[in-house]
């Protein structure tokens, strides 16, 4: 089992989640997103969920703590310290 | 109320009230649009921005006073002393609301007083009052004294010492820190020796169709309240975007060099909420969003209480300077609000000076002995004080980065980040490609408000403009068309005049419904876009009068090359391609000049003679 720190920012109105979750290794982006939807799907705004029941990457960015993009084709994410799911905002 | 304009001449002390022709209200709505019509007609070529011939135009819109969400805003326009071009700048708070209560849709201030004065307006009582005793005072002190003397409930918009000293980035502040921030309207007020405008009154808003109005207010307020982003803005303020910058790449960092920085989280809206935030600032009239912050730092060198820094200030005094001390940013924000100076331009000027110092183009001696290194918070504060007091290098930096680079030379133009003389705001066109043509063509120079991409690119379609798909933020194709549509919507919003933040949830068609219920007009969403387009073209014609052309539609070279590191490294908008698509969408020629056919179509025949003469 691997523990991963996930930051879920901007998908749920005004609720920014920092959660540590355990996964069987290896774990890829699809596994993470399935788990996120299972736990928080009710709260996540509809447009941020794709037809396949994953996160909608037309809006949602997934990246490591340095902002490097994480894609579905990465086979294992357990070596990544923190994973961020963010809806970018160019406001203010 | 809708049709009244108050004209005040500070040279002759004449005061008069005029009716605004209904056709002007139909064609230009109010706010920025009405200002464009009057100032195009009345400010002659060759007049100086700080001279007697420049005019200041305060205006509100048709939705003012009737509980439409965020409709307490006002606009102020003039020829900008920073860019020499068109300027409109809007502010929230309650000033706009009280201007409506006083019964004036517009106040035009012309001439120049030879003594400090302030303008007192209470319904039909309009007086030019002596301001000698408040000249030189900070903004909050000045407003307190004026409100005390006035003895009626109202609101004052004032300048501070920066406006009095004619600093071209000086702004106008009202209601505890709300700012008509950009482009130097504060200096124009200073050149007229006008310290403040106080407004009060008891006129009531009456909708043309009260039933439709009530329905529209209920529905549209509901839409704004229910939008998920409203909650985020309410909880974390606009600084929420700084917390997302590591992933979005949107926050300019180290004078637009870096693509990422570990300090974003320390200066984010989330950190503000868990440390210094005391309450959502209640200053903005009928606003269900309440993004404005009221913060307090109880002790230490930056002890303060007052209006908290917005995202733009977190960027310009934070990431741009590698300053991760949130308390210092809140403190410097307060200083800027008290002296009345734009935080985007002043922070950007300091970032420019930091880079010039690093590269040896400015010495420590040039900087009054200050060691202005990246992230050196005390040095930033010391240079800011020089700008505010107009001492030493502060005199030059207060002129903006374009002027500063012209004086310093040595290739410093390469990192003077501005468009048409206005420092760019804190949104990176490499993160959202649509900002490329938007910044390049904005009538007031580098500006994110004339085309509020944040509400649309990667977020909302604009069906009224035939844009039915959400646009990928890093696509090039389509961004010229998107920029045009967003500019047209934004221009209409600034003319209507409501807060652009409502447009995360509302559409041009929603705005049309509200305007129709308020005025009895019968606009569609498409008509609203056309009104925005008309105003935008008129502002372009105003700029042409003062020597600007398509050759000025550019971005600084640094913004057209990659960030160092970060999530958008290697991604750069193709501005040339975007501009050609943009000009075509606008009906302009390939050099960016509006065609005669387009001007005729927009009912702007009267500008053709000058533009083509
Ligand atoms: S959204 Fe923010 S800036 Fe706009 S009116 Fe409301 S509180 Fe003021």
């Amino acid at each position: 089992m691997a523990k991963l720190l996930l930051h879920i920012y901007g998908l749920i109105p005004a609720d920014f989640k920092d959660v540590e979750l355990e996964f069987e290794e290896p774990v890829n982006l699809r596994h993470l997103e399935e788990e996120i939807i299972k736990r928080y799907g009710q709260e996540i705004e509809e447009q941020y969920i794709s037809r396949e029941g994953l996160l909608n990457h037309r809006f949602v960015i997934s990246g490591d703590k340095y902002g490097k993009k994480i894609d579905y084709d990465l086979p294992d994410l357990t070596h990544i310290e923190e994973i961020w799911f963010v809806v970018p905002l160019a406001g203010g | 109320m809708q049709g009244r304009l108050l004209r005040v001449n500070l040279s002759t002390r004449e005061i008069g009230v005029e009716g605004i022709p209904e056709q002007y209200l139909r064609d230009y709505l109010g706010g920025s649009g009405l200002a464009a019509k009057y100032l195009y007609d009345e400010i002659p070529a060759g007049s100086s921005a700080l001279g007697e011939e420049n005019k200041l135009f305060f205006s509100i819109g048709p939705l003012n006073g009737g509980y439409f969400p965020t409709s307490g805003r006002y606009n102020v326009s003039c020829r900008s002393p920073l860019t020499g071009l068109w300027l409109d700048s809007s502010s929230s708070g309650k000033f706009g609301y009280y201007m409506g209560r006083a019964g004036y849709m517009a106040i035009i201030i012309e001439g120049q007083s030879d003594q400090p004065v302030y303008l007192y307006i209470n319904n039909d009582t309009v007086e030019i009052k002596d301001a000698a005793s408040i000249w030189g005072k900070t903004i909050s002190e000045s407003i307190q004294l004026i409100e005390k003397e006035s003895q009626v409930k109202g609101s004052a918009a004032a300048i501070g010492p920066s406006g009095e000293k004619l600093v071209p980035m000086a702004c106008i502040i009202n209601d505890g820190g709300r700012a008509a921030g950009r482009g130097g309207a504060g200096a124009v007020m200073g050149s007229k020796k006008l310290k403040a405008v106080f407004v009060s009154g008891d006129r009531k808003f009456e909708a043309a169709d009260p039933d439709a109005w009530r329905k529209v207010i209920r529905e549209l307020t509901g839409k704004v309240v229910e939008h998920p982003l409203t909650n985020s803005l309410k909880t974390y303020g606009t600084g929420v975007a700084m917390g997302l910058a590591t992933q979005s790449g949107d926050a300019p960092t180290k004078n637009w060099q870096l693509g990422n920085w570990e300090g974003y989280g320390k200066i984010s809206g989330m950190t503000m909420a868990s440390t210094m935030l005391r309450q959502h600032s209640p200053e903005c009239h009928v606003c269900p969003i309440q993004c404005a912050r009221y913060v307090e730092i109880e002790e230490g060198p930056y002890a303060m209480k007052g209006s908290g820094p917005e995202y733009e200030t977190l960027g310009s005094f934070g990431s741009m300077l590698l300053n991760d001390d949130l308390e210092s940013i809140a403190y410097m924000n307060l200083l800027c609000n008290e002296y009345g100076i734009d935080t985007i331009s002043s922070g950007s000027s300091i970032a420019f000076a930091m880079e010039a110092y690093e590269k040896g183009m400015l010495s420590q001696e040039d900087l009054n002995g200050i060691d202005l290194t990246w992230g050196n918070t005390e040095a930033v504060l010391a240079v800011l004080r020089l700008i505010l007091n107009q001492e030493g290098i502060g005199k030059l930096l207060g002129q903006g980065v374009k002027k500063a680079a012209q004086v310093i030379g040595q290739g410093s133009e390469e990192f003077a980040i501005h468009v048409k003389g206005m420092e760019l705001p804190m949104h990176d066109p490499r993160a959202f490609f649509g900002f490329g043509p938007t910044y390049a063509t904005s009538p007031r120079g580098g500006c994110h408000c004339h085309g509020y991409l944040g509400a649309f690119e990667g977020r909302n379609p604009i069906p009224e403009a035939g844009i039915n798909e959400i646009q990928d933020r890093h696509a090039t194709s389509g961004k010229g068309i998107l920029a045009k549509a967003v500019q047209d919507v934004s221009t209409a919003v600034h003319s209507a005049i409501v807060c652009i933040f409502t447009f995360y949830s509302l559409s041009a068609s929603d705005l049309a419904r509200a305007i129709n219920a308020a005025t009895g007009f019968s606009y569609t969403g498409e008509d609203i876009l056309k009104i925005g387009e008309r105003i935008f073209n008129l502002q372009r014609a105003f700029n042409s009068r003062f020597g600007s052309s398509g050759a000025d539609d550019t971005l600084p070279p640094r913004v057209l090359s990659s960030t160092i590191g970060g999530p958008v490294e290697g991604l750069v908008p193709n501005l040339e391609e975007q501009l050609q698509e943009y000009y075509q969408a606008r009906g302009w020629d390939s050099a960016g000049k509006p065609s005669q056919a387009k001007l005729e179509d927009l009912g702007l025949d009267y500008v053709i003679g000058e533009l083509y003469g």
Side-chain angles (χ1 to χ4, degrees):
Chain A
M1 297 289 272
K3 269 192 186 163
L4 286 175
L5 177 58
L6 309 183
H7 302 283
I8 305 165
Y9 281 24
L11 288 73
I12 301 164
D15 185 3
F16 289 10
K17 291 193 184 300
D18 305 295
V19 286
E20 207 169 45
L21 299 179
E22 278 197 296
F23 293 91
E24 297 276 2
E25 294 179 56
V27 52
N28 61 25
L29 187 60
R30 175 176 285 271
H31 297 140
L32 291 190
E33 292 189 355
E34 282 168 353
E35 189 61 28
I36 289 171
I37 305 274
K38 198 165 93 194
R39 285 171 180 259
Y40 308 115
Q42 294 297 321
E43 298 166 76
I44 291 175
E45 203 202 332
E46 216 175 296
Q47 61 174 334
Y48 301 144
I49 299 177
S50 71
R51 280 202 207 100
E52 299 78 42
L54 298 172
L55 295 180
N56 183 351
H57 286 270
R58 287 178 73 187
F59 300 106
V60 182
I61 300 174
S62 47
D64 69 11
K65 73 174 191 178
Y66 305 105
K68 189 165 184 295
K69 202 172 168 201
I70 294 173
D71 283 324
Y72 288 114
D73 50 15
L74 272 177
D76 184 25
L77 308 180
T78 50
H79 61 285
I80 298 177
E81 252 178 276
E82 295 174 20
I83 299 177
W84 290 65
F85 297 93
V86 161
V87 177
L89 174 67
Chain B
M1 180 277 286
Q2 269 204 355
R4 296 205 325 157
L5 176 143
L6 175 66
R7 189 178 289 271
V8 178
N9 188 311
L10 294 177
S11 298
T12 62
R13 302 208 153 215
E14 280 169 298
I15 295 169
V17 178
E18 300 165 16
I20 300 171
E22 186 183 314
Q23 198 57 44
Y24 286 13
L25 302 175
R26 287 186 179 274
D27 289 348
Y28 305 99
L29 297 177
S32 165
L34 197 62
K37 172 63 183 156
Y38 273 91
L39 296 188
Y40 182 86
D41 287 349
E42 297 191 16
I43 298 181
S47 57
S48 151
L50 296 176
E52 198 173 5
E53 286 176 312
N54 200 2
K55 302 193 180 192
L56 260 177
F57 195 91
F58 286 81
S59 46
I60 56 174
L63 306 178
N64 178 283
Y67 297 105
F68 187 89
T70 77
S71 58
R73 292 184 77 89
Y74 71 97
N75 173 77
V76 59
S77 283
C78 56
R79 182 181 179 215
S80 161
L82 186 67
T83 64
L85 303 175
W86 170 256
L87 177 63
D88 54 23
S89 202
S90 74
S91 175
S92 50
K94 295 184 170 64
F95 182 87
Y97 167 71
Y98 279 109
M99 200 174 141
R101 299 272 295 183
Y104 305 102
M105 189 161 191
I107 304 167
I108 189 162
I109 298 166
E110 39 193 47
Q112 286 178 326
S113 170
D114 50 10
Q115 297 298 322
V117 293
Y118 79 90
L119 190 59
Y120 172 87
I121 302 167
N122 181 7
N123 294 315
D124 293 332
T125 304
V126 181
E127 292 171 29
I128 299 168
K129 293 198 174 202
D130 176 43
S133 62
I134 50 171
W135 197 254
K137 293 202 186 308
T138 61
I139 288 182
S140 63
E141 274 181 292
S142 307
I143 289 181
Q144 264 173 22
L145 288 167
I146 288 169
E147 288 181 348
K148 198 167 155 209
E149 188 174 301
S150 302
Q151 293 190 335
V152 286
K153 221 171 158 201
S155 170
I159 58 168
S162 299
E164 295 171 10
K165 290 178 178 152
L166 312 184
V167 181
M169 53 178 75
C171 61
I172 301 171
I173 300 270
N174 57 285
D175 300 304
R178 308 317 294 168
R182 307 230 60 204
V188 176
M189 235 167 118
S191 74
K192 297 187 180 305
K193 290 243 169 7
L194 179 63
K195 180 70 177 173
V197 178
F198 175 84
V199 278
S200 175
D202 54 18
R203 286 191 171 80
K204 296 237 160 42
F205 169 84
E206 278 172 41
D209 183 343
D211 289 340
W213 178 249
R214 270 190 294 276
K215 194 161 173 263
V216 151
I217 295 284
R218 211 171 30 244
E219 277 179 34
L220 299 189
T221 304
K223 247 176 129 171
V224 173
V225 169
E226 280 160 24
H227 194 274
L229 208 56
T230 295
N231 256 330
S232 294
L233 283 170
K234 188 179 237 161
T235 311
Y236 303 115
T238 52
V240 65
M242 187 55 74
L244 309 179
T246 303
Q247 305 298 325
S248 67
D250 189 40
T253 303
K254 200 181 180 193
N255 200 26
W256 297 79
Q257 297 182 72
L258 303 186
N260 217 334
W261 174 52
E262 59 200 16
Y264 297 137
K266 292 189 191 163
I267 61 169
S268 69
M270 297 71 138
T271 302
M272 204 187 306
S274 63
T275 54
M276 59 182 71
L277 179 68
R278 292 295 172 265
Q279 64 178 87
H280 312 135
S281 172
E283 298 300 352
C284 291
H285 181 67
V286 284
C287 177
I289 303 174
Q290 295 188 357
C291 71
R293 316 277 85 184
Y294 184 85
V295 300
E296 182 173 1
I297 300 164
E298 282 171 7
E299 54 190 30
Y302 304 123
M304 54 80 69
K305 53 183 163 185
S307 177
E310 300 287 345
Y311 168 81
E312 296 294 333
T313 311
L314 296 168
S316 55
F317 279 92
S319 59
M320 281 278 281
L321 312 172
L322 302 189
N323 171 27
D324 64 3
D325 185 334
L326 180 57
E327 292 194 351
S328 77
I329 300 172
Y331 183 74
M332 290 189 273
N333 181 61
L334 183 79
L335 283 183
C336 290
N337 285 352
E338 287 295 356
Y339 279 75
I341 201 163
D342 177 27
T343 57
I344 299 177
S345 288
S346 53
S348 297
S349 286
I350 296 172
F352 166 81
M354 270 186 174
E355 192 166 343
Y357 179 58
E358 181 185 51
K359 292 187 156 75
M361 298 172 186
L362 283 177
S363 66
Q364 201 161 341
E365 204 182 323
D366 293 328
L367 292 166
N368 296 47
I370 298 163
D371 183 25
L372 190 61
T373 48
W374 298 106
N376 184 343
T377 306
E378 280 151 31
V380 172
L381 178 56
V383 173
L384 175 63
R385 286 195 195 279
L386 291 177
I387 297 175
L388 298 176
N389 294 320
Q390 286 293 280
E391 290 168 358
I393 192 75
K395 277 189 198 154
L396 179 61
L397 296 178
Q399 302 288 313
V401 298
K402 182 180 176 190
K403 187 70 193 291
Q406 282 166 357
V407 172
I408 293 169
Q410 307 171 66
S412 59
E413 295 84 357
E414 282 296 308
F415 55 88
I417 311 299
H418 69 92
V419 170
K420 300 179 180 125
M422 171 130 22
E423 292 73 19
L424 291 192
M426 300 296 111
H427 301 288
D428 197 323
R430 296 166 291 193
F432 293 84
F433 278 8
F435 279 123
T438 306
Y439 286 169
T441 60
S442 159
R444 71 174 188 180
C447 155
H448 64 302
C449 296
H450 279 88
Y452 196 67
L453 256 296
F456 299 98
E457 192 171 23
R459 196 171 290 277
N460 287 327
I462 311 175
E464 298 89 346
I467 298 173
N468 296 307
E469 287 290 311
I470 293 165
Q471 310 265 312
D472 184 308
R473 67 189 180 120
H474 282 129
T476 293
S477 174
K479 289 300 162 61
I481 295 167
L482 179 70
K484 180 218 177 255
V486 174
Q487 286 173 335
D488 291 347
V489 179
S490 305
T491 304
V493 170
H494 293 307
S495 302
I497 158 186
V498 293
C499 185
I500 197 73
F501 290 162
T502 54
F503 272 68
Y504 286 106
S505 40
L506 303 184
S507 66
S509 300
D510 292 328
L511 189 59
R513 281 180 60 208
I515 290 171
N516 294 346
T519 62
F521 300 163
S522 48
Y523 288 132
T524 61
E526 287 77 5
D527 295 331
I528 292 297
L529 289 188
K530 187 153 186 180
I531 292 171
E533 186 178 10
R534 175 180 303 121
I535 297 164
F536 196 89
N537 276 268
L538 182 55
Q539 293 169 353
R540 183 92 171 173
F542 181 94
N543 283 347
S544 171
R545 175 179 294 169
F546 292 99
S548 178
S549 70
D552 302 313
D553 295 341
T554 56
L555 289 180
R558 176 165 289 171
V559 177
L560 293 173
S561 56
S562 175
T563 58
I564 302 167
V568 297
E569 186 172 30
L571 296 168
V572 175
N574 181 336
L575 184 65
E576 202 38 52
E577 199 178 315
Q578 290 179 322
L579 276 180
Q580 285 312 317
E581 185 186 90
Y582 173 87
Y583 289 155
Q584 207 175 2
R586 279 240 169 265
W588 297 355
D589 70 16
S590 60
K593 186 171 177 178
S595 68
Q596 297 198 37
K598 172 53 73 179
L599 294 170
E600 278 162 12
D601 175 54
L602 293 171
L604 295 175
D605 312 54
Y606 61 93
V607 311
I608 292 174
E610 185 176 330
L611 213 51
Y612 281 87

